[in-house]
Amino acid sequence: MRSAAGSLAADHAEVVSADTLLLHFGAAVPADGLLFYGYGHDRIAWFDQPGEGHAIYDDQGLPVWTPASGVATGGGAAPGTPVRITVGSGSDSLMLRISQDAYQGDAHYTVGVDGVRIGGVLSAHAAHGSGAADQVTLRGDWGPGQHQAVVTFLNDAYDGPGADRNLHVEGARYDGAELGGAARELLSSGTAAIGFTDATALPGGAATTVGAGADSLVLRIAQDAYLGDAQYTVAVDGVQLGGTQTARAPHGAGQADAVTLHGDWSPGGHSVAVSFLNDAWDGGGNDRNLYVEGASYDGTPLDGAAQALLSAGTARFGFTDAGPIG
């Protein structure tokens, strides 16, 4: 980093995704700073491993360069200055308040919901005990029911009292409501789990189309979500159409996903199998289930298609094609 005041070297670099390099500076980044990389001859990092030097190489071993004029940064947060970060997209928001005990660099961590990581590797900034915290907002469309957020602390360091890098979850809010018991201390590398409950319907059912052909089989699918969405496959006459599908619409909310399967099925009877793959139950009132709310074939409703899958298994029903192929 170069500015009118002189130069400032990054003290840590990390490749966090295919197109993102995270640089850490031990002092405030100047407002008139220009960042130069691809300067020199040694690698900062090779794939996801730490390294030394100046130049950055891609995964093909080719150097990555900035323009000769550098990249304007516009300034940045000084060490200990709280930041606000938003990752993901959707109508729901989980806001985590994060702080750290910094030692030889900032605490790094990842976040996820229901086993799915959201965003890349994040760095804590706010100092624990200062009364301030980073605000990290995770956005998504989480269905009604219980869910679990996970914060994973990646880079613990300890050289004795007062020389200790830690991560702190100071609290959390879901869709604007404070979550009781969300505060966690991560004093060594590991994971903190935070539960939350969604009480709002998803913004409409999903629409999916699979296959090609003149005939259409339309399924109406819903779910009880719990620690993630229900997943399933669909087969006609023993042949699976498409890959693993994920239910979105909440059962009992008057909504359903519309899953349209196209094909050229010959005249006569055919069998449909909807297989529920990932049942979950906590032994009490929290349960992941799948529902076939109904089905139609070439516009005609099918009797007997509506079925509830309350455990992993298969719902079976049939349809009859009355016309020639084509």
mmCIF file of all heavy atoms in Angstrom, residues 217-250:
data_model
loop_
_atom_site.group_PDB
_atom_site.id
_atom_site.type_symbol
_atom_site.label_atom_id
_atom_site.label_comp_id
_atom_site.label_asym_id
_atom_site.label_seq_id
_atom_site.Cartn_x
_atom_site.Cartn_y
_atom_site.Cartn_z
ATOM 1 N N LEU A 217 -46.213 -34.011 -16.099
ATOM 2 C CA LEU A 217 -46.675 -34.466 -14.785
ATOM 3 C C LEU A 217 -46.291 -33.379 -13.791
ATOM 4 O O LEU A 217 -45.106 -33.070 -13.626
ATOM 5 C CB LEU A 217 -46.015 -35.793 -14.408
ATOM 6 C CG LEU A 217 -46.250 -36.306 -12.990
ATOM 7 C CD1 LEU A 217 -47.710 -36.685 -12.784
ATOM 8 C CD2 LEU A 217 -45.330 -37.491 -12.692
ATOM 9 N N VAL A 218 -47.279 -32.765 -13.138
ATOM 10 C CA VAL A 218 -47.031 -31.673 -12.211
ATOM 11 C C VAL A 218 -47.304 -32.145 -10.792
ATOM 12 O O VAL A 218 -48.415 -32.600 -10.482
ATOM 13 C CB VAL A 218 -47.898 -30.436 -12.535
ATOM 14 C CG1 VAL A 218 -47.626 -29.316 -11.540
ATOM 15 C CG2 VAL A 218 -47.643 -29.968 -13.957
ATOM 16 N N LEU A 219 -46.287 -32.031 -9.930
ATOM 17 C CA LEU A 219 -46.411 -32.389 -8.515
ATOM 18 C C LEU A 219 -46.484 -31.116 -7.689
ATOM 19 O O LEU A 219 -45.782 -30.143 -7.963
ATOM 20 C CB LEU A 219 -45.215 -33.216 -8.053
ATOM 21 C CG LEU A 219 -44.828 -34.432 -8.894
ATOM 22 C CD1 LEU A 219 -43.594 -35.107 -8.297
ATOM 23 C CD2 LEU A 219 -45.987 -35.413 -8.981
ATOM 24 N N ARG A 220 -47.318 -31.134 -6.649
ATOM 25 C CA ARG A 220 -47.355 -30.043 -5.677
ATOM 26 C C ARG A 220 -46.725 -30.573 -4.386
ATOM 27 O O ARG A 220 -47.242 -31.520 -3.767
ATOM 28 C CB ARG A 220 -48.780 -29.557 -5.450
ATOM 29 C CG ARG A 220 -49.416 -28.990 -6.721
ATOM 30 C CD ARG A 220 -50.709 -28.241 -6.433
ATOM 31 N NE ARG A 220 -51.686 -29.047 -5.714
ATOM 32 C CZ ARG A 220 -52.485 -29.929 -6.276
ATOM 33 N NH1 ARG A 220 -52.410 -30.160 -7.588
ATOM 34 N NH2 ARG A 220 -53.344 -30.610 -5.553
ATOM 35 N N ILE A 221 -45.622 -29.960 -3.992
ATOM 36 C CA ILE A 221 -44.785 -30.467 -2.906
ATOM 37 C C ILE A 221 -44.690 -29.431 -1.784
ATOM 38 O O ILE A 221 -44.539 -28.230 -2.033
ATOM 39 C CB ILE A 221 -43.358 -30.782 -3.411
ATOM 40 C CG1 ILE A 221 -43.403 -31.844 -4.521
ATOM 41 C CG2 ILE A 221 -42.452 -31.206 -2.270
ATOM 42 C CD1 ILE A 221 -43.794 -33.220 -4.055
ATOM 43 N N ALA A 222 -44.748 -29.902 -0.540
ATOM 44 C CA ALA A 222 -44.539 -29.039 0.618
ATOM 45 C C ALA A 222 -43.739 -29.818 1.663
ATOM 46 O O ALA A 222 -43.461 -31.010 1.494
ATOM 47 C CB ALA A 222 -45.872 -28.555 1.193
ATOM 48 N N GLN A 223 -43.386 -29.132 2.756
ATOM 49 C CA GLN A 223 -42.534 -29.770 3.758
ATOM 50 C C GLN A 223 -42.790 -29.206 5.153
ATOM 51 O O GLN A 223 -43.333 -28.120 5.315
ATOM 52 C CB GLN A 223 -41.066 -29.531 3.418
ATOM 53 C CG GLN A 223 -40.667 -28.057 3.527
ATOM 54 C CD GLN A 223 -39.184 -27.804 3.585
ATOM 55 O OE1 GLN A 223 -38.408 -28.690 3.943
ATOM 56 N NE2 GLN A 223 -38.765 -26.597 3.233
ATOM 57 N N ASP A 224 -42.368 -29.958 6.149
ATOM 58 C CA ASP A 224 -42.082 -29.445 7.482
ATOM 59 C C ASP A 224 -40.565 -29.364 7.559
ATOM 60 O O ASP A 224 -39.882 -30.395 7.559
ATOM 61 C CB ASP A 224 -42.601 -30.387 8.574
ATOM 62 C CG ASP A 224 -44.108 -30.525 8.564
ATOM 63 O OD1 ASP A 224 -44.798 -29.523 8.325
ATOM 64 O OD2 ASP A 224 -44.596 -31.651 8.803
ATOM 65 N N ALA A 225 -40.016 -28.164 7.625
ATOM 66 C CA ALA A 225 -38.563 -27.995 7.686
ATOM 67 C C ALA A 225 -38.100 -28.092 9.132
ATOM 68 O O ALA A 225 -38.753 -27.585 10.047
ATOM 69 C CB ALA A 225 -38.146 -26.665 7.095
ATOM 70 N N TYR A 226 -36.968 -28.750 9.336
ATOM 71 C CA TYR A 226 -36.340 -28.824 10.656
ATOM 72 C C TYR A 226 -34.849 -29.063 10.462
ATOM 73 O O TYR A 226 -34.454 -30.055 9.860
ATOM 74 C CB TYR A 226 -36.958 -29.953 11.501
ATOM 75 C CG TYR A 226 -36.174 -30.293 12.738
ATOM 76 C CD1 TYR A 226 -35.961 -29.338 13.727
ATOM 77 C CD2 TYR A 226 -35.644 -31.565 12.920
ATOM 78 C CE1 TYR A 226 -35.231 -29.648 14.860
ATOM 79 C CE2 TYR A 226 -34.912 -31.883 14.050
ATOM 80 C CZ TYR A 226 -34.711 -30.919 15.021
ATOM 81 O OH TYR A 226 -33.980 -31.227 16.142
ATOM 82 N N LEU A 227 -34.026 -28.122 10.895
ATOM 83 C CA LEU A 227 -32.571 -28.197 10.698
ATOM 84 C C LEU A 227 -32.237 -28.455 9.225
ATOM 85 O O LEU A 227 -31.388 -29.283 8.906
ATOM 86 C CB LEU A 227 -31.933 -29.270 11.591
ATOM 87 C CG LEU A 227 -31.997 -29.014 13.096
ATOM 88 C CD1 LEU A 227 -31.336 -30.165 13.858
ATOM 89 C CD2 LEU A 227 -31.333 -27.688 13.454
ATOM 90 N N GLY A 228 -32.945 -27.746 8.358
ATOM 91 C CA GLY A 228 -32.721 -27.902 6.935
ATOM 92 C C GLY A 228 -33.986 -28.343 6.222
ATOM 93 O O GLY A 228 -34.974 -28.768 6.843
ATOM 94 N N ASP A 229 -33.989 -28.234 4.908
ATOM 95 C CA ASP A 229 -35.154 -28.557 4.093
ATOM 96 C C ASP A 229 -35.204 -30.036 3.734
ATOM 97 O O ASP A 229 -34.184 -30.737 3.704
ATOM 98 C CB ASP A 229 -35.123 -27.736 2.798
ATOM 99 C CG ASP A 229 -35.280 -26.243 3.056
ATOM 100 O OD1 ASP A 229 -36.089 -25.886 3.935
ATOM 101 O OD2 ASP A 229 -34.606 -25.458 2.379
ATOM 102 N N ALA A 230 -36.414 -30.502 3.435
ATOM 103 C CA ALA A 230 -36.617 -31.885 2.993
ATOM 104 C C ALA A 230 -36.092 -32.048 1.567
ATOM 105 O O ALA A 230 -36.300 -31.193 0.711
ATOM 106 C CB ALA A 230 -38.094 -32.241 3.051
ATOM 107 N N GLN A 231 -35.437 -33.170 1.314
ATOM 108 C CA GLN A 231 -34.909 -33.477 -0.011
ATOM 109 C C GLN A 231 -35.530 -34.767 -0.524
ATOM 110 O O GLN A 231 -35.845 -35.668 0.254
ATOM 111 C CB GLN A 231 -33.384 -33.584 0.034
ATOM 112 C CG GLN A 231 -32.706 -32.266 0.386
ATOM 113 C CD GLN A 231 -31.204 -32.346 0.345
ATOM 114 O OE1 GLN A 231 -30.616 -33.371 0.678
ATOM 115 N NE2 GLN A 231 -30.562 -31.261 -0.061
ATOM 116 N N TYR A 232 -35.653 -34.861 -1.852
ATOM 117 C CA TYR A 232 -36.362 -35.997 -2.418
ATOM 118 C C TYR A 232 -35.974 -36.189 -3.878
ATOM 119 O O TYR A 232 -35.356 -35.326 -4.502
ATOM 120 C CB TYR A 232 -37.880 -35.781 -2.314
ATOM 121 C CG TYR A 232 -38.392 -34.580 -3.073
ATOM 122 C CD1 TYR A 232 -38.972 -34.719 -4.341
ATOM 123 C CD2 TYR A 232 -38.292 -33.297 -2.538
ATOM 124 C CE1 TYR A 232 -39.436 -33.617 -5.046
ATOM 125 C CE2 TYR A 232 -38.757 -32.193 -3.236
ATOM 126 C CZ TYR A 232 -39.324 -32.351 -4.481
ATOM 127 O OH TYR A 232 -39.782 -31.270 -5.189
ATOM 128 N N THR A 233 -36.326 -37.348 -4.409
ATOM 129 C CA THR A 233 -36.174 -37.625 -5.830
ATOM 130 C C THR A 233 -37.526 -38.056 -6.393
ATOM 131 O O THR A 233 -38.426 -38.473 -5.647
ATOM 132 C CB THR A 233 -35.136 -38.731 -6.098
ATOM 133 O OG1 THR A 233 -35.543 -39.943 -5.433
ATOM 134 C CG2 THR A 233 -33.754 -38.317 -5.600
ATOM 135 N N VAL A 234 -37.664 -37.962 -7.724
ATOM 136 C CA VAL A 234 -38.893 -38.369 -8.410
ATOM 137 C C VAL A 234 -38.521 -39.317 -9.544
ATOM 138 O O VAL A 234 -37.577 -39.050 -10.302
ATOM 139 C CB VAL A 234 -39.650 -37.157 -8.968
ATOM 140 C CG1 VAL A 234 -40.964 -37.606 -9.609
ATOM 141 C CG2 VAL A 234 -39.910 -36.127 -7.881
ATOM 142 N N ALA A 235 -39.263 -40.401 -9.658
ATOM 143 C CA ALA A 235 -39.042 -41.360 -10.741
ATOM 144 C C ALA A 235 -40.371 -41.714 -11.382
ATOM 145 O O ALA A 235 -41.419 -41.745 -10.717
ATOM 146 C CB ALA A 235 -38.364 -42.620 -10.211
ATOM 147 N N VAL A 236 -40.342 -41.967 -12.678
ATOM 148 C CA VAL A 236 -41.500 -42.465 -13.420
ATOM 149 C C VAL A 236 -41.107 -43.786 -14.058
ATOM 150 O O VAL A 236 -40.078 -43.873 -14.747
ATOM 151 C CB VAL A 236 -41.953 -41.459 -14.501
ATOM 152 C CG1 VAL A 236 -43.064 -42.066 -15.364
ATOM 153 C CG2 VAL A 236 -42.431 -40.165 -13.853
ATOM 154 N N ASP A 237 -41.889 -44.813 -13.768
ATOM 155 C CA ASP A 237 -41.625 -46.170 -14.287
ATOM 156 C C ASP A 237 -40.212 -46.630 -13.919
ATOM 157 O O ASP A 237 -39.513 -47.258 -14.726
ATOM 158 C CB ASP A 237 -41.835 -46.218 -15.800
ATOM 159 C CG ASP A 237 -43.278 -45.952 -16.195
ATOM 160 O OD1 ASP A 237 -44.179 -46.175 -15.366
ATOM 161 O OD2 ASP A 237 -43.512 -45.494 -17.332
ATOM 162 N N GLY A 238 -39.775 -46.252 -12.713
ATOM 163 C CA GLY A 238 -38.479 -46.702 -12.217
ATOM 164 C C GLY A 238 -37.292 -45.904 -12.702
ATOM 165 O O GLY A 238 -36.157 -46.210 -12.330
ATOM 166 N N VAL A 239 -37.517 -44.872 -13.503
ATOM 167 C CA VAL A 239 -36.425 -44.056 -14.031
ATOM 168 C C VAL A 239 -36.443 -42.701 -13.342
ATOM 169 O O VAL A 239 -37.438 -41.959 -13.446
ATOM 170 C CB VAL A 239 -36.545 -43.873 -15.561
ATOM 171 C CG1 VAL A 239 -35.439 -42.973 -16.085
ATOM 172 C CG2 VAL A 239 -36.521 -45.223 -16.259
ATOM 173 N N GLN A 240 -35.360 -42.360 -12.619
ATOM 174 C CA GLN A 240 -35.302 -41.083 -11.925
ATOM 175 C C GLN A 240 -35.202 -39.938 -12.930
ATOM 176 O O GLN A 240 -34.445 -39.992 -13.894
ATOM 177 C CB GLN A 240 -34.104 -41.034 -10.984
ATOM 178 C CG GLN A 240 -34.009 -39.735 -10.192
ATOM 179 C CD GLN A 240 -32.910 -39.749 -9.155
ATOM 180 O OE1 GLN A 240 -32.677 -40.761 -8.491
ATOM 181 N NE2 GLN A 240 -32.220 -38.620 -8.985
ATOM 182 N N LEU A 241 -36.008 -38.903 -12.679
ATOM 183 C CA LEU A 241 -36.003 -37.712 -13.526
ATOM 184 C C LEU A 241 -35.328 -36.579 -12.761
ATOM 185 O O LEU A 241 -35.775 -36.189 -11.679
ATOM 186 C CB LEU A 241 -37.430 -37.318 -13.897
ATOM 187 C CG LEU A 241 -38.243 -38.394 -14.640
ATOM 188 C CD1 LEU A 241 -39.647 -37.881 -14.913
ATOM 189 C CD2 LEU A 241 -37.560 -38.794 -15.935
ATOM 190 N N GLY A 242 -34.251 -36.041 -13.309
ATOM 191 C CA GLY A 242 -33.531 -34.981 -12.632
ATOM 192 C C GLY A 242 -32.724 -35.503 -11.459
ATOM 193 O O GLY A 242 -32.612 -36.720 -11.243
ATOM 194 N N GLY A 243 -32.174 -34.588 -10.682
ATOM 195 C CA GLY A 243 -31.365 -34.954 -9.534
ATOM 196 C C GLY A 243 -32.168 -34.895 -8.252
ATOM 197 O O GLY A 243 -33.388 -35.050 -8.247
ATOM 198 N N THR A 244 -31.466 -34.679 -7.143
ATOM 199 C CA THR A 244 -32.123 -34.541 -5.853
ATOM 200 C C THR A 244 -32.785 -33.166 -5.778
ATOM 201 O O THR A 244 -32.157 -32.146 -6.039
ATOM 202 C CB THR A 244 -31.108 -34.696 -4.714
ATOM 203 O OG1 THR A 244 -30.547 -36.016 -4.760
ATOM 204 C CG2 THR A 244 -31.762 -34.470 -3.366
ATOM 205 N N GLN A 245 -34.070 -33.158 -5.417
ATOM 206 C CA GLN A 245 -34.837 -31.917 -5.325
ATOM 207 C C GLN A 245 -34.927 -31.478 -3.860
ATOM 208 O O GLN A 245 -34.845 -32.302 -2.948
ATOM 209 C CB GLN A 245 -36.248 -32.114 -5.891
ATOM 210 C CG GLN A 245 -36.297 -32.707 -7.283
ATOM 211 C CD GLN A 245 -35.706 -31.811 -8.343
ATOM 212 O OE1 GLN A 245 -35.734 -30.588 -8.223
ATOM 213 N NE2 GLN A 245 -35.137 -32.406 -9.387
ATOM 214 N N THR A 246 -35.122 -30.189 -3.633
ATOM 215 C CA THR A 246 -35.252 -29.639 -2.293
ATOM 216 C C THR A 246 -36.592 -28.940 -2.164
ATOM 217 O O THR A 246 -36.923 -28.063 -2.969
ATOM 218 C CB THR A 246 -34.122 -28.643 -2.005
ATOM 219 O OG1 THR A 246 -32.862 -29.321 -2.097
ATOM 220 C CG2 THR A 246 -34.257 -28.056 -0.603
ATOM 221 N N ALA A 247 -37.379 -29.337 -1.159
ATOM 222 C CA ALA A 247 -38.669 -28.700 -0.913
ATOM 223 C C ALA A 247 -38.460 -27.324 -0.302
ATOM 224 O O ALA A 247 -37.504 -27.111 0.461
ATOM 225 C CB ALA A 247 -39.508 -29.576 0.007
ATOM 226 N N ARG A 248 -39.348 -26.394 -0.603
ATOM 227 C CA ARG A 248 -39.262 -25.035 -0.071
ATOM 228 C C ARG A 248 -40.547 -24.606 0.632
ATOM 229 O O ARG A 248 -40.493 -23.990 1.690
ATOM 230 C CB ARG A 248 -38.961 -24.037 -1.199
ATOM 231 C CG ARG A 248 -37.653 -24.300 -1.940
ATOM 232 C CD ARG A 248 -36.459 -24.146 -1.045
ATOM 233 N NE ARG A 248 -35.209 -24.307 -1.785
ATOM 234 C CZ ARG A 248 -34.012 -24.386 -1.218
ATOM 235 N NH1 ARG A 248 -33.901 -24.314 0.093
ATOM 236 N NH2 ARG A 248 -32.929 -24.536 -1.963
ATOM 237 N N ALA A 249 -41.701 -24.890 0.042
ATOM 238 C CA ALA A 249 -42.965 -24.379 0.569
ATOM 239 C C ALA A 249 -43.314 -25.049 1.894
ATOM 240 O O ALA A 249 -43.159 -26.269 2.048
ATOM 241 C CB ALA A 249 -44.080 -24.602 -0.442
ATOM 242 N N PRO A 250 -43.791 -24.280 2.891
ATOM 243 C CA PRO A 250 -44.160 -24.862 4.181
ATOM 244 C C PRO A 250 -45.534 -25.523 4.135
ATOM 245 O O PRO A 250 -46.502 -24.941 3.638
ATOM 246 C CB PRO A 250 -44.144 -23.654 5.119
ATOM 247 C CG PRO A 250 -44.441 -22.490 4.234
ATOM 248 C CD PRO A 250 -43.846 -22.802 2.888
#
